[in-house]
Amino acid sequence: QSALTQPASVSGSPGQSITISCTGTSSDVGGYNYVSWYQQHPGKAPKLMIYDVSNRPSGVSNRFSGSKSGNTASLTISGLQTEDEADYYCSSYTSSSTDVFGTGTKVTVL
Amino acid sequence: QVQLQESGPGLVKPSETLSLTCTVSGGSISSYSWSWIRQPPGKGLEWIGYMYHSKIINYNPSLKSRVTISVDMSRNQFSLKVSSVTAADTALYYCARGGYNNNWFDPWGQGTLVTVSS
């Protein structure tokens, strides 16, 4: 299975909104509403930010939102803050009953 | 609050078998799915495999021939073995709880670094 495709880097100024894309195929992203997103700060374990495309776990800021269109899922961070600077990964369930992660995106707050 | 802790040797010789254990506290391993995920230094995340109810087990196709996941319900632990390791298996290894469809991972353990070197 191939990794989902994410942009290597995305940047924005404080207060702005940014969107990270996650492109797969009809056998993963496009075939199921089982896309999740993770935030990883340096030296830390990943943290779940969005699950099932657009659901936020308890405690996650509502500045984070998720969506999906066809084979591409997206994570939007609105009102960008300095603490949002981190690596972000998407993940999807697949038709083989496995999971696959995205290539990862480094978010920089300018 | 569920917590996970990985344990095992930090150094493994090439061609040998890597063995790690994940101990789950604050919740039963009989519920949810449980996964192993790894991250080579400076690189992205790679899903290794998962178990569910100690019966349903599936692996990343690229690793399937070398990986075994097992469970010890009495100790609330699940384990990972990777055989015939090479330097490419050097990574930070995480265990994580997953959704019933293995559709999300939360929480994660802190991770344990395994280096493959002679």
Side-chain angles (χ1 to χ4, degrees):
Chain A
Q1 56 193 27
S2 298
L4 307 175
T5 301
Q6 298 180 231
S9 62
V10 173
S11 61
S13 299
Q16 287 186 331
S17 292
I18 62 170
T19 297
I20 302 168
S21 61
C22 170
T23 301
T25 69
S26 58
S27 295
D28 38 63
V29 174
Y32 306 89
N33 287 325
Y34 289 152
V35 176
S36 52
W37 289 91
Y38 303 87
Q39 176 191 65
Q40 186 180 34
H41 286 111
K44 299 293 187 182
K47 174 187 175 183
L48 177 67
M49 305 301 285
I50 295 287
Y51 68 96
D52 294 351
V53 176
S54 59
N55 294 301
R56 269 189 316 276
S58 175
V60 172
S61 171
N62 59 9
R63 296 186 299 105
F64 291 85
S65 62
S67 62
K68 189 184 85 167
S69 178
N71 296 336
T72 298
S74 299
L75 174 71
T76 297
I77 309 175
S78 58
L80 199 61
Q81 298 181 2
T82 54
E83 60 260 37
D84 299 332
E85 187 161 292
D87 293 327
Y88 291 82
Y89 294 91
C90 61
S91 177
S92 175
Y93 183 75
T94 80
S95 59
S96 300
S97 299
T98 61
D99 290 84
V100 61
F101 282 99
T103 50
T105 298
K106 182 177 180 60
V107 169
T108 302
V109 181
L110 302 171
Chain B
Q1 181 180 355
V2 173
Q3 293 184 314
L4 295 84
Q5 178 68 58
E6 306 88 351
S7 59
L11 181 64
V12 181
K13 290 183 169 55
S15 80
E16 295 190 344
T17 296
L18 174 163
S19 296
L20 296 174
T21 296
C22 180
T23 301
V24 178
S25 58
S28 173
I29 202 170
S30 62
S31 300
Y32 295 96
S33 63
W34 303 89
S35 279
W36 286 99
I37 297 157
R38 70 182 184 179
Q39 184 172 35
K43 296 187 178 181
L45 300 170
E46 180 180 36
W47 179 78
I48 299 171
Y50 83 103
M51 54 148 279
Y52 178 58
H53 278 193
S54 77
K55 296 177 182 178
I56 300 173
I57 297 176
N58 208 356
Y59 303 114
N60 186 323
S62 68
L63 298 170
K64 191 170 185 175
S65 64
R66 299 192 295 123
V67 171
T68 302
I69 292 176
S70 59
V71 62
D72 186 337
M73 303 289 282
S74 65
R75 296 186 176 188
N76 224 35
Q77 296 175 333
F78 63 108
S79 298
L80 171 72
K81 291 187 186 297
V82 182
S83 63
S84 305
V85 298
T86 69
D89 294 307
T90 293
L92 191 56
Y93 284 77
Y94 294 102
C95 57
R97 184 182 67 172
Y100 290 108
N101 289 304
N102 213 46
N103 47 315
W104 47 258
F105 306 106
D106 180 65
W108 297 54
Q110 65 184 28
T112 187
L113 179 64
V114 178
T115 301
V116 178
S117 175
S118 55

